[in-house]
Amino acid sequence: MVQEYKLLFAGGMGVGKTTAISAVSEIPPVSTDVANSDREAFDKELTTVTLDYGRITLPSGDRLRLYGIPGQQRFSFMWAMLEHGAMGMVLLADASRPEPFAELEIFLKAFSKLLRSGRAVLGVGRLSKRRGALDKYVAKLARRKIKIPVFSVDVRKKKDVLLLLDALFTQIEVVEDDYRGGEPSGKTAQSASSVSDSAGDKKPAENDKPSEKTVRNANETTV
């Protein structure tokens, strides 16, 4: 029986949700972009008003359904609806914004339950190469008692998005191992190896997709 898994891509307007989904989706992403009427706040020609949708089919036939939520707060009434039933989240931030942490705070608050569950990763784009730049984001999460992996990424690059997805499923396994209160099952280490296979400079993983094993393992305890 084919299984389907719902993943969210969240973040402010223009952080790269549509681009990230486009980088890995096997179908042309379904996008509800319209002309941006708030060019003063962010100089972007188009903006998502409902959602973006993409899909990845694993070798088994199971599917990852990728949903990019609208980033503008006036559409926040949709966020809870889209969050319902989500297996996990890729949260994106843009370090080049005038107030990147203020914008990130909006999503840390809105999705606090999912983020505090640990079923998420944070990808930071346009990050300064200055030493310790990423540590500020880790500290920001810690103040909200959120413990998730944080990466510097370029969502235009397929390997970077695959890195986020593989890290997400590895993170889910870690959370479930902790929840069971037992020793790590060994699946986490196996899943982590798929990150280097998928995103490394060598031969990519089969079909350039997240490890099917990571998805299957994560599903064992996902409602």
Side-chain angles (χ1 to χ4, degrees), residues 11-13 17 47-48 69-73 75 79 107:
M13 182 172 65
K17 299 183 295 293
T47 184
T48 299
I69 70 167
Q72 295 168 290
Q73 278 192 280
F75 298 114
W79 296 353
F107 295 91

Side-chain angles (χ1 to χ4, degrees), residues 42 168 191:
F42 191 78
L168 173 60
S191 299

Side-chain angles (χ1 to χ4, degrees), residues 4-8 64 83-89 114 117 119-120 168-169 172 214-220 222-223:
E4 296 187 345
Y5 310 92
K6 179 180 180 181
L7 301 178
L8 298 184
L64 301 180
E83 182 183 8
H84 180 71
M87 183 185 196
M89 170 184 285
L114 180 59
S117 77
R119 297 175 181 274
L168 173 60
F169 288 114
I172 291 172
T214 64
V215 179
R216 184 175 62 252
N217 291 344
N219 183 56
E220 290 177 358
T222 301
V223 177

Side-chain angles (χ1 to χ4, degrees), residues 120-153:
V121 294
L122 172 62
V124 184
R126 300 187 177 94
L127 188 70
S128 167
K129 294 183 179 180
R130 187 177 302 171
R131 186 175 180 179
L134 204 61
D135 293 341
K136 294 180 180 179
Y137 286 86
V138 175
K140 175 71 173 177
L141 297 177
R143 285 193 291 272
R144 277 200 165 269
K145 304 186 185 305
I146 297 171
K147 298 179 181 180
I148 60 175
V150 183
F151 298 91
S152 174
V153 296

